[in-house]
Amino acid sequence: MYEAMVTARRYEERLQEEYLEGKQPAFDISAGPIPGELHLAAGHEASGAGVCQHLRDDDTVTAPHRPHHIAVAKGVDLKRMTAEIFGRETGLSKGKGGHMHLFDPDVNFACSGIIAEGCPPAVGAGLAAKKRNTDSVAVAFLGEGAIDQGAFLESLNLAAVQDLPVVFVVEDNDWAISMPKDRVTDVENGARRADGFDMPGTRVDADDAVAVYEAAREAIGRARDRNGPSLLEVQVHRRMGHFMGDPQAYRSDEDKAAAQQRDSIDRLESDLRAHGVDDETIDELRSSAKERVEEAIEWAKEQPEPEPADAHEDVFTNPPSGVTDGEPNVAKTETGGDD
């Protein structure tokens, strides 16, 4: 877990550096090697590592728009994920998805920028596992700001009705973009959402990887043993803005300082030392994570960018006339005219 967490933290620190290149002093979201938005999850690492430690490649994970720590913990190919974020041809989705739409079928991982969108596909994966009579499970990660979304509540209902092997993991970082939790949600403990669907609901009150691991072991074990779905809420902390370039004017200095002090990596490192892990081992893990991240970023930056014409591949409609060298595939109406 520690290795996954320090890898995710270092990865996002480096993405932050690469992302800001060319975007300052006046923030230009379209400039630099990583255009568009970038949502970082520094402070969330305990959630991804504690849960995914129990998962196999054949288990399905869906993640929200802040996905990197979960992807690292699930074993997503770091080089191809980085190439995707940089918009390169060798990325997981040929550079077309970006950081919010990562997809790695080798480890059954996907994410989306749509709030709570990952819940229905996770339920579908759970239903598929049940019909195939396998012991695979599905895990849907979402933020606390998503627990009032219809897709989430409908997914809870269907998972409960069909008794599916699904675990819903709510990452509570106290902020739904710029809105504090108590202004958008009627419950302080999001795990209580499980009460209305007759499924177990558990909250981990601290971003403690070991506590998350223990709670996830019970929930995932329950799902794998075909005893139905569970809901797990984990307290995490957002150490950065909602997106890179977010001035966070809505957030007090005290709140930002508190988030910096609550570091799940430091907590786990202290636990390791208390259990006899020496400094040399910890330094080796940190050094290895740093090298792996640097290798992935350098590899991604060397990869080719897609050709403009590639924008018309992997889509559900033909390109308009004149865009490609070949003749467009024009549909014919019943009267014989062009449609």
Side-chain angles (χ1 to χ4, degrees), residues 10 17 26 52 59 66 82 88 90 93 96 126 131 138 143 178 224 230 233 258 273 282 300 308 322:
R10 178 60 182 171
E17 294 172 1
C52 292
D59 295 324
R66 212 179 297 281
T82 310
R88 303 307 170 100
T90 51
S93 298
K96 299 177 180 180
K131 287 185 173 294
S178 60
R224 210 177 291 286
S230 302
E233 182 173 76
R273 294 181 190 280
I282 289 175

Side-chain angles (χ1 to χ4, degrees), residues 13 27 49-50 87 161 205 218 228 234 247 261 268 292 294 310 317:
E13 289 172 348
F27 187 75
V161 169
D205 282 322
E218 181 176 348
V234 179
Q261 293 169 2
L268 185 56
R292 184 184 173 204
E294 291 302 321
D310 293 344
T317 186

Side-chain angles (χ1 to χ4, degrees), residues 264-282:
S264 58
I265 294 177
D266 290 346
R267 183 195 296 266
L268 185 56
E269 185 173 313
S270 296
D271 288 345
L272 291 173
R273 294 181 190 280
H275 284 80
V277 178
D278 58 31
D279 292 346
E280 183 179 356
T281 300
I282 289 175

Side-chain angles (χ1 to χ4, degrees), residues 62-89:
T62 63
H65 57 280
R66 212 179 297 281
H68 307 136
H69 62 303
I70 304 168
V72 168
K74 185 60 167 75
V76 171
D77 188 303
L78 194 64
K79 288 184 176 180
R80 294 186 63 214
M81 176 166 74
T82 310
E84 182 63 34
I85 294 171
F86 278 81
R88 303 307 170 100
E89 191 175 52

Side-chain angles (χ1 to χ4, degrees), residues 88-134:
R88 303 307 170 100
E89 191 175 52
T90 51
L92 291 170
S93 298
K94 304 179 184 179
K96 299 177 180 180
H99 98 101
M100 287 190 288
H101 306 98
L102 305 168
F103 178 65
D104 189 350
D106 291 339
V107 294
N108 287 326
F109 176 89
C111 61
S112 173
I114 306 301
I115 303 302
E117 187 278 337
C119 296
V123 171
L127 181 60
K130 181 178 180 179
K131 287 185 173 294
R132 291 170 177 158
N133 197 30
T134 71

Side-chain angles (χ1 to χ4, degrees), residues 62-66 110-123 139-156 168-170:
T62 63
H65 57 280
R66 212 179 297 281
C111 61
S112 173
I114 306 301
I115 303 302
E117 187 278 337
C119 296
V123 171
V139 179
F141 285 83
L142 62 151
E144 91 289 339
I147 67 171
D148 301 312
Q149 289 286 328
F152 169 62
L153 299 171
E154 292 169 13
S155 295
L156 289 179
F168 301 90
V169 180
V170 178

